[in-house]
């Protein structure tokens, strides 16, 4: 079936994040945001005010039944994603679903398989994959700018929005898990996680996750919903250069340090390791300022039109969920290393 000139799109869920996705869908000239559905009357009113030409509905069933809708954006709570995606795909719609794809690996795999079976595009809103920063990281690693990658160290904190159906791993650490999956295209050998619920009755709001890879790469992720500091900091060190990515430093988000150590024949200073230090230039690459969600919408449109695979594909969403699930298993066993399953 030829893809239509303008792709008619419906969005299910118009809460905090849905506002951003709808704004970017409406701004894409190839998409027509024709329908918005939310169970909350307050959020339907907000949607109607922001998107006066879209039909506003309370019941998702009407979205699936409407043959004029080509694609659906799903921005509801995580526990509803798998079922809404299943119904949308079975109704013949292409789907863009925000993270996590589902709350279990089995559900994620079932949705990805269903999309493949029906020949529908399935794009997971792993937003960071569409940032200029991650595009740069991917190219820098492919060029070998850092040498052999040694570690990826991330701190992602703030006063986060506590969720009732997912914890800090599914909600916040998943950003780094998706970035790692995208950058290194490899599943970790082991995942060790410590997660803590700081308030009785609320989901875990703090996690420290360590991922080890077969060639020696180690990743460490610290994620908190309960911090006075909003931090979005990643350091990637290679044996040639090191790179710091601070997403709050607008205009110089990435800095590359020509720094490192070199082995010497023998210790330069008695009692110290046989290394010399290099503290070279710091360079700041120009990244551009494309909004990630605009790039994501453009990828969605291109994939619907050509049948190509999205950067954040259903299959990558399943691999991300496999890593998330291993982190949950490890945390349940007091941090014992867990292998990837499923
Ligand atoms: N990529 C990112 O950086 C990012 C950031 C924030 C949230 N998110 C994701 O977006 C999703 C939503 O999070 P949020 O913070 O916007 O939550 P939210 O609670 O603000 O919004 C969810 C909306 O879905 C509606 N809803 C719930 N069930 C529904 C149903 N069955 N049919 C129709 N509407 C329904 C709710 O009424 C609400 O308006 C989550 O999966 C979250 O992980 C992604």
């Amino acid at each position: 079936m030829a893809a239509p000139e303008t792709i008619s799109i419906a969005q299910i869920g118009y809460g905090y994040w849905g506002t951003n996705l709808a704004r970017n869908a409406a701004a894409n000239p190839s998409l027509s945001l024709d329908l918005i559905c939310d169970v909350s009357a307050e959020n339907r009113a907000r949607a109607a005010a922001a998107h006066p030409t879209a039909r506003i509905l309370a019941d998702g069933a009407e979205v699936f039944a409407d043959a004029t809708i080509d694609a659906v954006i799903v921005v509801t709570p995580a526990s509803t994603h798998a079922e809404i995606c299943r119904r949308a795909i079975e109704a013949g719609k292409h789907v863009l679903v925000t993270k996590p794809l589902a709350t279990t690996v089995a559900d994620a795999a079932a949705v990805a398989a269903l999309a493949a079976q029906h020949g529908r595009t399935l794009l997971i809103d792993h937003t960071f994959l569409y940032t200029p920063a991650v595009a740069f990281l991917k190219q820098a690693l492919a060029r070998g700018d850092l040498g052999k990658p040694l570690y990826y160290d991330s701190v992602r904190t703030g006063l986060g929005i506590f969720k009732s159906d997912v914890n800090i791993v599914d909600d916040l650490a998943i950003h780094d898990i998706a970035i790692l999956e995208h950058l290194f295209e490899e599943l970790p050998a082991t995942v060790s996680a410590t997660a803590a619920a700081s308030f009785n009755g609320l989901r875990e709001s703090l996690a420290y996750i360590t991922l080890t890879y077969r060639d020696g790469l180690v990743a460490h992720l610290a994620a908190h919903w309960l911090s006075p500091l909003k931090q979005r900091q990643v350091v990637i060190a290679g044996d040639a250069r090191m790179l710091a990515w601070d997403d709050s430093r607008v205009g110089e988000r990435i800095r590359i340090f020509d720094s490192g150590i070199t082995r010497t024949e023998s210790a330069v200073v008695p009692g110290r390791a046989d290394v010399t230090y290099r503290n070279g230039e710091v360079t700041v690459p120009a990244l551009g300022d494309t909004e990630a969600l605009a790039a994501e919408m453009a990828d969605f449109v291109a994939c619907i039109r050509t049948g190509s695979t999205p950067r954040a594909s259903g299959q990558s969403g399943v691999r991300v969920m496999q890593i998330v699930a291993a982190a949950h298993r490890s945390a349940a066993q007091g941090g014992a290393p867990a292998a990837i399953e499923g």
Side-chain angles (χ1 to χ4, degrees):
M1 189 176 72
E5 241 351 77
T6 302
I7 299 164
S8 175
I9 203 152
Q11 180 166 309
I12 304 181
Y14 193 84
Y16 159 65
W17 195 241
T19 309
N20 295 324
L21 281 162
R23 174 172 53 77
N24 279 278
N28 186 302
S30 299
L31 296 174
S32 174
L33 180 60
D34 293 329
L35 209 160
I36 299 175
C37 166
D38 200 298
V39 291
S40 149
E42 191 185 328
N43 285 341
R44 285 199 301 278
R46 283 196 315 109
H51 301 281
T53 58
R55 275 188 296 144
I56 310 292
L57 295 175
D59 184 1
E62 287 191 50
V63 177
F64 309 128
D66 188 333
T68 67
I69 297 293
D70 304 304
V72 176
I73 298 177
V74 182
V75 210
T76 50
S79 52
T80 66
H81 289 175
E83 177 62 8
I84 295 177
C85 289
R86 183 187 66 74
R87 293 183 67 187
I89 294 165
E90 284 180 344
K93 319 294 186 200
H94 303 279
V95 170
L96 187 164
V97 56
T98 191
K99 53 80 185 167
L101 168 53
T103 51
T104 65
V105 176
D107 280 351
V111 172
L114 195 67
Q117 184 193 330
H118 286 255
R120 300 292 88 178
T121 294
L122 174 64
L123 187 152
I124 320 302
D125 167 33
H126 285 305
T127 316
F128 280 100
L129 269 48
Y130 290 94
T131 58
V134 169
F136 177 85
L137 294 182
K138 180 89 179 160
Q139 288 166 4
L141 287 165
R143 281 193 304 260
D145 290 0
L146 305 185
K148 178 181 184 296
L150 302 175
Y151 70 79
Y152 175 108
D153 189 73
S154 164
V155 179
R156 217 170 270 282
T157 71
L159 268 186
I161 302 172
F162 279 70
K163 303 276 167 47
S164 58
D165 57 350
V166 290
N167 75 7
I168 186 79
V169 179
D170 316 287
D171 189 71
L172 192 60
I174 194 170
H175 287 306
D176 286 295
I177 291 171
I179 293 165
L180 284 164
E181 199 280 326
H182 176 66
L183 291 182
F184 297 106
E185 298 176 16
E186 186 190 338
L187 286 167
T190 64
V191 180
S192 313
T194 302
S198 308
F199 284 106
N200 265 349
L202 293 182
R203 294 283 186 141
E204 291 85 353
S205 58
L206 171 164
Y208 298 110
I209 306 173
T210 305
L211 306 96
T212 65
Y213 291 79
R214 279 165 197 86
D215 62 356
L217 173 71
V218 176
H220 184 262
L221 322 176
H224 298 222
W225 270 337
L226 201 61
S227 167
L229 303 179
K230 180 161 180 172
Q231 297 175 94
R232 300 286 183 264
Q233 292 177 6
V234 175
V235 173
I236 307 177
D239 63 2
R241 288 187 194 80
M242 302 175 182
L243 180 153
W245 168 26
D246 182 342
D247 217 42
S248 61
R249 290 173 77 119
V250 178
E252 51 171 15
R253 285 191 164 91
I254 289 184
R255 286 168 296 154
I256 300 166
F257 297 78
D258 190 11
S259 302
I261 57 170
T262 309
R263 296 296 295 264
T264 52
E265 291 284 309
S266 57
V268 178
V269 178
R272 293 210 190 150
D274 48 353
V275 295
T276 55
Y277 295 86
R278 199 177 73 259
N279 250 318
E281 277 191 354
V282 181
T283 50
V284 178
L287 296 179
D289 53 7
T290 317
E291 188 175 353
L293 293 182
E296 188 175 298
M297 290 299 160
D299 192 25
F300 192 41
V301 168
C303 292
I304 290 172
R305 290 223 163 114
T306 65
S308 56
T309 304
R311 187 179 306 172
S313 67
Q315 287 309 327
S316 70
V318 175
R319 290 191 290 274
V320 167
M321 285 305 302
Q322 289 176 313
I323 301 171
V324 165
H328 287 309
R329 279 198 304 281
S330 170
Q333 293 161 14
I340 302 294
E341 290 176 3

